Amino acid sequence: MTATPIEEQTQDLSSATSTAAVSAVAAVDSVVTTEQVFEIEELGLPEDVPTADDPSNRANRNNLEDAGFTLDEFALLLSKYDYNFKPGDVVNGTVFALESKGAMIDIGAKTAAFMPLQEVSINRVEDLGDVLQPGEIREFFIMSEENEDGQLALSIRRIEYQRAWERVRQLQKEDATIYSEVFATNRGGALVRVEGLRGFIPGSHISTRKPKEELVADFLPLKFLEVDEERNRLVLSHRRALVERKMNRLEVGEVVVGAVRGIKPYGAFIDIGGVSGLLHISEISHEHIETPHSVLNVNDQMKVMIIDLDAERGRISLSTKALEPEPGDMLTDPQKVFDKAEEMAARYKQMLQEQAEEGEDPISSMMI
């Protein structure tokens, strides 16, 4: 598109004017002042240049369209880093300071969390440095809401406590035998620790010739009797563990030597190699007996035959009645019974075998 004559004249005039102006400046360059130069330059500035004084020209801080996401998306992004801690949560934290009364833990909250000394372990701790080190990263249990200073209270003991109960429940399910050290005794029995939990052994489930008071620091084999986290009850049996171990070497119909350790109206407890078996009053003789005291005395050495092994309840049932050559021999001639014990036991086993082959209940043999 060609310029019109008028446009051409205008362009020529403008060009001539610019050339003349430049020449004039060059001619008087040596005498032009600084203010005059600025005036000349300002003449060439466009009128629509934005200035900082105009509010309409300032950036809108709330306009995030050019940032690639909306305000809602930005808030959602920030929420990912806004940790909402609540009691019962288990979180990772870093130990950064050990103090006399506890430890300061960084879990990413606004304020460092605090773990009291008594919450450091399920076991008693005298020195924090024995179980924690600055910079150590591990799990912590949140015990409470933030206090007035915005600080949370933490615990390791609660985590260990929960896991300890899980472990003993599994051991009970497996019917495992464990070994634990007696750390105290009382009138009712003995106290031990299992996986850090306090356990109790009732006196009736302690099978040893030692007085209870002398059991402290002894390691005992134990079986679980009761595992109840809700009631905080962990009850164990030394007797069951010993009986099970002994049972692995015993069998029904076997004659063993034992000593009378206690006599009750319903029978006598016989120690057979460290475990206790019950000689019930009905199993002493074929003849009727008013009281075991009329036949037996504490510390009597005698032969008895095993007629039942109950591993689940930790019980061994014994009999001298089955060893009597003639009914009533235990009352008139106990030594005769002991002398012929092995012979009578062999006959007893033969009878059990015959009854098993005939499909009869072997338990009926206990009533011979």
Side-chain angles (χ1 to χ4, degrees):
M1 181 177 181
T2 59
T4 63
I6 295 176
E7 291 174 338
E8 290 177 350
Q9 293 175 1
T10 302
Q11 290 175 354
D12 292 341
L13 179 61
S14 174
S15 175
T17 303
S18 298
T19 303
V22 171
S23 299
V25 170
V28 296
D29 182 56
S30 58
V31 296
V32 174
T33 65
T34 303
E35 290 78 5
Q36 291 173 324
V37 171
F38 284 148
E39 290 174 358
I40 294 172
E41 291 178 347
E42 287 175 357
L43 291 176
L45 292 176
E47 296 180 356
D48 59 348
V49 174
T51 67
D53 294 330
D54 186 357
S56 64
N57 293 323
R58 297 174 187 170
N60 185 357
R61 295 183 180 180
N62 294 325
N63 183 8
L64 299 179
E65 293 180 358
D66 294 336
F69 49 81
T70 66
L71 279 174
D72 290 340
E73 291 172 336
F74 184 62
L76 179 62
L77 179 64
L78 289 178
S79 69
K80 295 181 180 180
Y81 298 93
D82 183 16
Y83 298 103
N84 183 22
F85 299 106
K86 59 183 183 296
D89 286 349
V90 175
V91 297
N92 287 327
T94 303
V95 180
F96 72 84
L98 301 181
E99 301 180 353
S100 60
K101 295 184 178 181
M104 302 301 295
I105 313 296
D106 178 12
I107 60 171
K110 294 179 295 184
T111 304
F114 181 71
M115 181 171 58
L117 178 61
Q118 63 269 24
E119 293 294 331
V120 172
S121 174
I122 197 172
N123 299 306
R124 186 179 180 84
V125 175
E126 299 292 345
D127 185 356
L128 274 176
D130 294 337
V131 291
L132 289 178
Q133 295 297 322
E136 179 180 353
I137 300 175
R138 60 179 302 161
E139 290 182 327
F140 296 91
F141 180 93
I142 298 178
M143 294 194 297
S144 64
E145 300 280 359
E146 294 180 350
N147 61 17
E148 61 274 9
D149 297 322
Q151 190 174 65
L152 292 164
L154 305 181
S155 173
I156 293 175
R157 185 180 69 87
R158 304 293 179 90
I159 296 176
E160 293 179 343
Y161 186 80
Q162 293 173 353
R163 291 175 180 172
W165 279 108
E166 291 174 3
R167 177 62 177 153
V168 295
R169 279 194 293 267
Q170 182 62 32
L171 290 172
Q172 182 192 39
K173 183 178 180 180
E174 297 170 358
D175 194 27
T177 298
I178 63 169
Y179 284 80
S180 186
E181 181 183 10
V182 176
F183 69 85
T185 61
N186 55 32
R187 280 181 20 178
L191 300 174
V192 295
R193 293 195 184 280
V194 181
E195 299 291 325
L197 302 173
R198 176 178 290 195
F200 177 66
I201 312 171
S204 60
H205 280 269
I206 298 176
S207 293
T208 177
R209 297 178 183 179
K210 277 187 175 183
K212 280 188 306 182
E213 296 74 17
E214 297 180 12
L215 290 175
V216 175
D218 282 0
F219 280 85
L220 303 179
L222 302 168
K223 284 282 192 179
F224 292 95
L225 292 179
E226 183 179 356
V227 176
D228 189 338
E229 181 179 359
E230 290 186 1
R231 299 171 61 197
N232 197 31
R233 284 176 59 85
L234 182 59
V235 186
L236 305 111
S237 173
H238 176 230
R239 176 164 58 88
R240 272 198 61 196
L242 288 181
V243 169
E244 181 183 83
R245 188 167 62 184
K246 188 70 175 179
M247 284 181 179
N248 293 332
R249 302 190 296 270
L250 298 175
E251 62 180 22
V252 173
E254 181 180 357
V255 174
V256 293
V257 177
V260 179
R261 294 304 178 196
I263 300 177
K264 302 292 182 181
Y266 52 83
F269 290 98
I270 314 298
D271 185 320
I272 50 174
V275 296
S276 181
L278 175 63
L279 176 60
H280 195 269
I281 188 171
S282 64
E283 288 296 328
I284 294 177
S285 176
H286 284 85
E287 295 292 335
H288 176 71
I289 297 174
E290 292 292 340
T291 173
H293 287 282
S294 62
V295 183
L296 305 172
N297 296 299
V298 174
N299 295 326
D300 280 354
Q301 298 289 318
M302 59 189 301
K303 287 184 178 180
V304 291
M305 188 177 74
I306 299 171
I307 59 173
D308 188 50
L309 296 169
D310 187 343
E312 184 175 347
R313 292 188 294 175
R315 293 181 180 178
I316 300 176
S317 298
L318 308 171
S319 176
T320 51
K321 178 173 76 173
L323 301 177
E324 287 184 320
E326 298 293 336
D329 279 345
M330 272 300 295
L331 304 180
T332 59
D333 191 356
Q335 190 58 47
K336 178 183 177 182
V337 176
F338 302 150
D339 291 342
K340 298 226 177 238
E342 284 74 18
E343 179 184 336
M344 295 301 297
R347 290 171 55 184
Y348 180 85
K349 289 181 179 180
Q350 181 64 32
M351 182 177 61
L352 290 180
Q353 182 178 351
E354 292 174 356
Q355 289 177 342
E357 292 174 354
E358 294 173 0
E360 297 181 15
D361 185 1
I363 297 299
S364 63
S365 64
M366 297 168 54
M367 304 304 295
I368 61 173

